[in-house]
Amino acid sequence: MSRPRLRRFLRVRLLLLFLLAYSGAQTAQADDLQPQLHYRPSEGWLGDAHPVFWGGQWHVYYLQIPQEPLRHDLDNLHSAEIVSTDLLHWSPQPITHTDSQRTWWAIANLRVGGILYSFYNGTAGFDLATSSDGKVWSPYRHNPVVPYPHTIPEIRDPVIFWEEATGQYWLVVAGKHRQGVASDRAGRYLKSTSTDLLHWSPLKSLYDPGNIGIPECPDLFKLGNLYYLLGSWGIDRVGQGRYRVADRLEGPWRTPVRNTLDGTELMAPNTGQAGKRRLFFGWIPTYKGKQDFAPYEWGGHLAFPRELYRDAGGDLYLRLPREFLTLRTGTFRPHPAECEIVRGDWKRRRAGLELAEGSASGEFWLPGTRDRYEVEATLLPSRKCVEVGLVFRTGTAGFGGYEVALDLRKQRLFLRRHGDPNRSLAETAIHVPLNTPLKLRVFVDGDIVEAFLADRFSLAGRAQVASGQNRTGFYVIGGRCAVNRPTIYRLQSGASFQCPQPLPNIERGAEARRHPSLRQQTSIPGISNRGAK
């Protein structure tokens, strides 16, 4: 082979090798952004999760959204179910409705006397279906049980609540106040009551402040001696969760100073009770073209469930359930001397690093690179500190990565591009004191990011740009702040979605005590209870 031909051959070979390597790197980066620990159905997307705990398992009924292109018109939407004993591994369960025209029905769900009841939007009102095994559901022959009022132009999304003090069931729904009202002021809650789940009072207004949109997926529950209304309303999106509180079930309902739960990108939250714990479920949407700041799409992945609790004053908070500690499979706590200082006057202490008081800003990186992990640190900001946070997926020229930012002046928690404070990918209101240790935990699972602050606040979102370096660290703006015990945990490689064996049924034997009006009722007229316990 002549030298010119050899040179051309080598140039072509090098070009092919470069293209193969580039393609492989792009594919690897794309694979790195696929969440492994967050559930989504294999044949579509998940939306509107409605949890119920029974038989020692969490049963989450949700709306399954099909793959593209049907997804964009929400065609073939249907009910689906997943179960779990540990909140980590979810197993799909086949469920059907004997009415083939009813594609979704598992919305307001309750288990009483071994029978599952579900209320949902029908053609003429709210219908009822029941099941003895949670798999095959049958409609009540006298549907609808709650007719639609002709005076309400839009009404949907029921939730069922048992009030022990009065021996009544409450069906609470979202409604539109009237035609011609701006969408952000047209929403209200309505309620109907029953003693037997079959005969219901006419719908009446429960909460109508005149300044909310139609609440998505309303929820009603009691914690301690207080009642809570939960929902999500807005002009252009399904999220975020908001709540109202009252001393009596009938109200009046008051608005707490910080009345939001989680952030702007956790959609249509609902809650469920297991023993003394109430858990908070929602979904994280995808975005058009998998681009940051693009319009959100209906449907996505199930967020990590949060544990919902209240303080002495009645305010609600969220924390990560203890089950998620078992995700950890390895621990890396670097010595302060191993951390790479990018900028600022950092002092290396025994517990971590501390930015000096006179520094305007500072940043340091932990050793090594990683793409799927949990990071934890205790932050101790001074009273002058303006902002502190985690920076991740950084270190690549031309792309600064992302940050989970704790803005102490605005009292907000942000997910955003690192160094771009004017646009956020997700945010939520917080209330934390200065000069007090604050534990921050952040999970990076593909493009899904979930942050938990001080066991009180949480935030979910997506970071959809891959990075070649994947460096992780911390930054501070505006004064002294210590970052103590920064630790990275290696996580399970992926959720198997195969559920372990059920736990003992903590509800068995307690149902009749909680629902005395149904102690002897094991069937509904017109609906078989074959196989019921």
Side-chain angles (χ1 to χ4, degrees):
M1 183 181 296
S2 65
R3 286 188 176 181
R5 291 180 64 189
L6 179 61
R7 284 196 295 269
R8 284 196 300 270
F9 172 77
L10 292 174
R11 283 198 297 268
V12 171
R13 183 177 178 86
L14 287 173
L15 178 61
L16 288 174
L17 290 172
F18 171 79
L19 291 174
L20 286 172
Y22 179 80
S23 174
Q26 293 295 99
T27 301
Q29 287 187 358
D31 289 342
D32 288 343
L33 294 184
Q34 296 299 319
Q36 294 183 7
L37 304 173
H38 290 77
Y39 180 83
R40 61 161 282 198
S42 59
E43 299 299 324
W45 303 94
L46 178 147
D48 289 4
H50 303 283
V52 179
F53 186 85
W54 62 276
Q57 294 178 313
W58 279 101
H59 298 250
V60 173
Y61 299 94
Y62 67 93
L63 295 181
Q64 183 169 324
I65 297 94
Q67 300 278 20
E68 291 72 4
L70 294 177
R71 174 188 192 184
H72 296 287
D73 294 323
L74 295 183
D75 289 336
N76 294 336
L77 205 72
H78 63 275
S79 285
E81 180 193 8
I82 50 177
V83 300
S84 176
T85 60
D86 62 4
L87 302 174
L88 305 174
H89 305 87
W90 294 93
S91 177
Q93 301 294 306
I95 57 172
T96 60
H97 197 293
T98 57
D99 179 359
S100 61
Q101 302 302 311
R102 186 72 266 172
T103 58
W104 52 268
W105 68 91
I107 305 298
N109 309 301
L110 182 71
R111 187 170 185 264
V112 181
I115 299 294
L116 285 160
Y117 299 76
S118 182
F119 297 85
Y120 52 94
N121 281 89
T123 56
F126 291 102
D127 289 350
L128 166 65
T130 64
S131 175
S132 61
D133 60 5
K135 300 181 183 298
V136 179
W137 294 77
S138 301
Y140 178 42
R141 64 182 178 183
H142 296 303
N143 280 331
V145 293
V146 183
Y148 293 141
H150 298 298
T151 57
I152 300 177
E154 184 176 343
I155 187 167
R156 53 183 167 82
D157 293 354
V159 64
I160 191 78
F161 172 77
W162 165 249
E163 170 62 330
E164 186 173 2
T166 61
Q168 287 184 319
Y169 296 93
W170 283 52
L171 188 75
V172 174
V173 301
K176 187 174 182 179
H177 190 267
R178 59 186 180 276
Q179 298 284 14
V181 178
S183 61
D184 61 335
R185 293 184 288 111
R188 60 171 168 162
Y189 291 78
L190 300 105
K191 59 97 172 180
S192 174
T193 61
S194 171
T195 59
D196 62 3
L197 290 170
L198 303 178
H199 305 91
W200 294 85
S201 66
L203 282 164
K204 293 183 179 180
S205 181
L206 175 62
Y207 177 60
D208 183 9
N211 61 357
I212 65 173
I214 300 175
E216 299 279 346
C217 297
D219 199 359
L220 173 64
F221 54 89
K222 186 178 183 182
L223 287 178
N225 61 339
L226 296 176
Y227 297 89
Y228 295 88
L229 271 179
L230 176 65
S232 58
W233 56 80
I235 300 174
D236 61 347
R237 61 192 305 104
V238 178
Q240 81 190 106
R242 304 173 186 272
Y243 74 96
R244 302 293 185 258
V245 61
D247 300 307
R248 299 169 59 249
L249 191 51
E250 298 81 4
W253 298 90
R254 55 187 180 271
T255 304
V257 174
R258 185 195 58 83
N259 65 91
T260 56
L261 290 169
D262 208 272
T264 53
E265 309 307 305
L266 191 141
M267 304 297 195
N270 256 202
T271 69
Q273 188 83 19
K276 295 183 179 180
R277 291 204 302 174
R278 180 162 288 272
L279 297 191
F280 177 97
F281 293 77
W283 54 278
I284 305 169
T286 58
Y287 299 85
K288 188 175 181 180
K290 297 184 179 181
Q291 298 293 316
D292 289 348
F293 311 110
Y296 82 95
E297 298 170 305
W298 211 95
H301 290 75
L302 182 69
F304 287 163
R306 286 92 161 100
E307 187 171 341
L308 181 73
Y309 69 99
R310 50 159 286 190
D311 67 3
D315 291 334
L316 295 181
Y317 297 97
L318 299 170
R319 61 191 172 206
L320 192 65
R322 58 184 178 272
E323 286 89 339
F324 283 84
L325 292 174
T326 63
L327 275 179
R328 299 170 177 176
T329 61
T331 303
F332 172 58
R333 180 175 291 170
H335 190 277
E338 298 178 278
C339 297
E340 177 183 347
I341 294 176
V342 179
R343 68 176 188 275
D345 182 13
W346 291 92
K347 307 299 182 184
R348 302 181 195 267
R349 309 295 190 192
R350 182 176 181 180
L353 286 82
E354 181 178 275
L355 186 69
E357 189 69 67
S359 294
S361 66
E363 183 173 331
F364 70 87
W365 295 344
L366 304 176
T369 64
R370 52 199 54 84
D371 55 21
R372 198 178 308 274
Y373 56 93
E374 175 195 354
V375 62
E376 178 183 85
T378 299
L379 312 175
L380 183 56
S382 69
R383 296 187 181 278
K384 294 182 179 180
C385 184
V386 175
E387 190 174 303
V388 56
L390 171 79
V391 57
F392 65 97
R393 214 177 291 163
T394 191
T396 301
F399 178 62
Y402 294 92
E403 64 189 31
V404 173
L406 169 56
D407 191 315
L408 296 165
R409 288 187 178 177
K410 295 180 179 178
Q411 286 288 302
R412 298 191 74 80
L413 187 65
F414 293 97
L415 172 63
R416 60 195 183 195
R417 296 272 186 94
H418 186 40
D420 184 3
N422 298 317
R423 296 187 299 172
S424 69
L425 296 162
E427 61 181 276
T428 190
I430 60 174
H431 181 68
V432 296
L434 301 179
N435 207 26
T436 301
L438 302 168
K439 181 181 288 188
L440 177 67
R441 295 175 65 186
V442 178
F443 293 80
V444 179
D445 176 29
D447 67 356
I448 289 182
V449 181
E450 301 217 45
F452 299 86
L453 178 66
D455 278 337
R456 293 162 68 87
F457 310 100
S458 62
L459 183 67
R462 291 189 190 262
Q464 300 176 102
V465 176
S467 171
Q469 292 297 318
N470 286 334
R471 297 299 299 270
T472 303
F474 292 86
Y475 77 98
V476 174
I477 296 175
R480 179 173 55 84
C481 181
V483 179
N484 292 330
R485 294 178 294 280
T487 307
I488 291 182
Y489 298 99
R490 186 170 64 251
L491 303 178
Q492 295 180 20
S493 60
S496 67
F497 305 132
Q498 184 62 43
C499 225
Q501 291 299 311
L503 297 172
N505 185 1
I506 65 172
E507 293 194 333
R508 189 170 298 139
E511 287 181 352
R513 292 194 297 272
R514 289 205 308 270
H515 304 273
S517 64
L518 292 185
R519 279 179 183 162
Q520 304 303 319
Q521 181 175 327
T522 57
S523 64
I524 296 180
I527 302 179
S528 170
N529 71 326
R530 180 170 50 88
K533 296 177 183 177

